[in-house]
Amino acid sequence: MTPTSSFSVTTTTTSQAPTSTSSPSVSSKYVISHFMVGNSYPYTVDNWLADIILAHSSGIDGFALNVGVDTWQPSQVANAYQAALQSGTGFKLFMSFDMSSLPCTTASDAAILRTYITTYATHPNQLIYNGRVMASTFSGETCTFGQGSVVSGWSTQFVQQLTGSSAVHFVPSFFVDPSQFNTYSGVINGMFNWNSGWPIQVTTSYVSSIPGLLGDIASGLSSTVSSLLSNVIGSTSPDETYISSLAAMSGGQSYMAAVSPWFFTHYGPSTYNKNWIYLSDDHLYTTRWESLINIRDQVDFVQVISWNDFGESHYIGPIEGDQPMSQAWVDGNDHTGWLNLTSYYAAAFKTGTYPTPTKDQLVMWSRPHSALASASNDPVGPPTNYQITSDNVWAVVLATSPATVVLSTSSSQSQTFNVPAGVSKLAVPIQPGGTMQGTLTRGGQTVIDLQATNFTFEANPTTYNFNVLVVASP
């Protein structure tokens, strides 16, 4: 099969696994995944157990349990802790209070937060860090809990009231300028940089400011796009700002970085009114991991966003539980293939040394329709920044030794790659009518033959869907 003359390709290969710039050492570094308890309404202990075993086998050390205002959520948190104990894996859990959901205007609002902490402080599967109960948030930078300021609210109604075995190691995700971190001295023990998981500064206007880039994206010139955006895809600039601001504080502050494989949300004004994408092309997930591994000496936690946040399309766990009205863009788009990559990179982050692949693996993903397609019946409209994503099949190969990989999107369009041992990041463009197929051969023998089923790249979708289908070899 011979590619047409316009068939472009991006290849990033390494003759061996990438090398970390930091010294190898096994330390108390953790890889966590963000778990939306609000999507677990129908869960049983067995459901939690299955997720925990799967996550643990994929290199994840624990779940940050995002809890909101629903009155049934405490019972699901109890199920999670029971399942973690039952798993026998040592899997850890900690609370991540969703302050975009939980009230925080009166002193009594802090009681539920403290109750979660005191209930599980001595549980065997509670994450204890620096001798204290790990706790985090999503948002919370406007919470006063009835006090005169945000700092006073969190200090007097949360941190100071949790003592002894319930004392917290508090690493929230407050959306504040890092230059203001020092105002939280005595309240926080670190900070979680939620938005570091994506290059959020890359918008349509940002891309338009670079001459010719928007046209290159539309034309599928992925090699050109990659070179022009290489300084932002997976960049550690947002990490460095947090790290330096935390270092200026006393008390040995912890830094938690984010890594995420994708982002697309599609809610209209009648629901959550969120309809945009973040740039997730150019192997964002693997590139971001590699960037964090290079600065691992300064990163205490990596939090994968997310295990099951279906509404924002960045889930790496199975599609199960109770979706937040996201079925239209989630159902049928499995992401568990990304767990193969999570296992590899989590090991490298925690040890400082990239593992040698012991099994050949191929992971591929693609969106279901062209970025510039017009949906025939979608009142929500195209997502903001839809112009910045290119029509490609993205692939990552973990090879035990040199091999030949062929990526095909049709019977007449394919590209052959000679990949070395280690990690290879590949991409080929896809046109309407295309599918995803990849083979890995060595010595004339087919080792992997992977094809997406029930997948065709559409020219004229009914509704907009900028999520992806991920397929992976067993």
Side-chain angles (χ1 to χ4, degrees):
M1 295 176 282
T2 305
T4 62
S5 59
S6 62
F7 199 59
S8 59
V9 62
T10 298
T11 313
T12 304
T13 60
T14 52
S15 57
Q16 25 184 311
T19 302
S20 169
T21 59
S22 58
S23 57
S25 62
V26 178
S27 59
S28 56
K29 295 189 180 298
Y30 291 92
V31 173
I32 305 299
S33 192
H34 199 78
F35 192 105
M36 301 294 292
V37 176
N39 292 342
S40 70
Y41 181 77
Y43 263 43
T44 64
V45 171
D46 285 344
N47 293 130
W48 281 104
L49 182 62
D51 276 6
I52 286 169
I53 290 173
L54 179 60
H56 180 262
S57 69
S58 303
I60 296 169
D61 301 304
F63 286 150
L65 298 176
N66 177 300
V67 290
V69 72
D70 299 313
T71 56
W72 55 264
Q73 290 194 28
S75 64
Q76 284 295 357
V77 170
N79 285 343
Y81 276 89
Q82 181 183 340
L85 181 61
Q86 188 176 327
S87 75
T89 61
F91 196 80
K92 300 301 182 183
L93 304 169
F94 64 90
M95 306 313 302
S96 177
F97 300 115
D98 193 332
M99 304 315 300
S100 69
S101 172
L102 292 162
C104 58
T105 57
T106 69
S108 60
D109 288 335
I112 187 172
L113 277 60
R114 297 194 304 269
T115 297
Y116 272 122
I117 298 297
T118 56
T119 299
Y120 299 104
T122 59
H123 191 283
N125 296 85
Q126 169 64 45
L127 178 57
I128 303 296
Y129 194 82
N130 286 349
R132 292 172 174 250
V133 178
M134 182 71 182
S136 187
T137 72
F138 175 81
S139 192
E141 66 280 354
T142 62
C143 294
T144 61
F145 297 105
Q147 309 308 299
S149 69
V150 172
V151 171
S152 177
W154 281 105
S155 179
T156 65
Q157 301 306 307
F158 183 65
V159 175
Q160 291 180 23
Q161 294 197 34
L162 294 166
T163 60
S165 61
S166 294
V168 290
H169 187 81
F170 188 40
V171 184
S173 175
F174 288 167
F175 296 95
V176 297
D177 191 297
S179 65
Q180 301 301 307
F181 287 174
N182 60 350
T183 63
Y184 293 89
S185 182
V187 178
I188 65 170
N189 304 104
M191 199 67 85
F192 173 29
N193 191 350
W194 179 277
N195 280 335
S196 65
W198 313 269
I200 63 173
Q201 74 272 34
V202 182
T203 61
T204 301
S205 59
Y206 176 98
V207 170
S208 298
S209 70
I210 302 174
L213 182 55
L214 207 57
D216 289 340
I217 293 173
S219 300
L221 299 177
S222 53
S223 58
T224 304
V225 174
S226 296
S227 63
L228 290 172
L229 293 179
S230 60
N231 63 319
V232 294
I233 299 291
S235 169
T236 57
S237 293
D239 306 289
E240 291 156 8
T241 305
Y242 269 56
I243 289 165
S244 61
S245 296
L246 290 170
M249 299 174 64
S250 60
Q253 302 289 313
S254 300
Y255 177 61
M256 182 183 292
V259 60
S260 187
W262 207 256
F263 192 105
F264 163 63
T265 187
H266 194 56
Y267 293 104
S270 62
T271 55
Y272 298 117
N273 198 26
K274 309 166 41 170
N275 184 32
W276 72 86
I277 70 169
Y278 290 142
L279 181 66
S280 306
D281 289 357
D282 296 284
H283 308 93
L284 171 66
Y285 194 48
T286 55
T287 303
R288 174 67 177 156
W289 266 116
E290 289 164 7
S291 298
L292 289 175
I293 291 162
N294 281 337
I295 62 165
R296 65 179 292 276
D297 289 347
Q298 299 170 286
V299 180
D300 303 292
F301 305 87
V302 169
Q303 187 167 153
V304 180
I305 303 173
S306 65
W307 183 261
N308 68 333
D309 192 339
F310 307 114
E312 295 182 351
S313 307
H314 44 53
Y315 52 96
I316 61 172
I319 300 170
E320 60 181 350
D322 193 16
Q323 288 192 50
M325 299 179 291
S326 55
Q327 290 89 338
W329 61 91
V330 170
D331 284 358
N333 288 314
D334 184 80
H335 287 183
T336 54
W338 277 328
L339 291 173
N340 301 30
L341 304 179
T342 305
S343 178
Y344 177 79
Y345 284 104
F349 171 71
K350 287 183 279 188
T351 66
T353 303
Y354 282 85
T356 300
T358 58
K359 179 181 180 180
D360 294 301
Q361 295 184 66
L362 172 61
V363 184
M364 304 185 296
W365 59 96
S366 179
R367 289 182 287 99
H369 65 73
S370 174
L372 301 181
S374 294
S376 60
N377 185 25
D378 191 336
V380 178
T384 300
N385 299 323
Y386 73 91
Q387 302 96 328
I388 68 175
T389 185
S390 53
D391 296 345
N392 282 311
V393 173
W394 306 100
V396 175
V397 179
L398 296 176
T400 59
S401 61
T404 299
V405 172
V406 177
L407 297 181
S408 307
T409 57
S410 73
S411 59
S412 61
Q413 293 192 317
S414 66
Q415 181 68 44
T416 301
F417 306 88
N418 294 316
V419 302
V423 180
S424 296
K425 291 178 279 189
L426 316 173
V428 294
I430 186 169
Q431 292 85 28
T435 185
M436 291 188 283
Q437 183 174 7
T439 61
L440 184 148
T441 60
R442 183 183 294 113
Q445 300 295 315
T446 299
V447 181
I448 296 172
D449 187 354
L450 177 65
Q451 184 162 0
T453 57
N454 300 317
F455 174 86
T456 302
F457 196 70
E458 293 183 84
N460 301 297
T462 303
T463 59
Y464 292 106
N465 189 349
F466 283 72
N467 192 4
V468 285
L469 172 65
V470 182
V471 293
S473 55

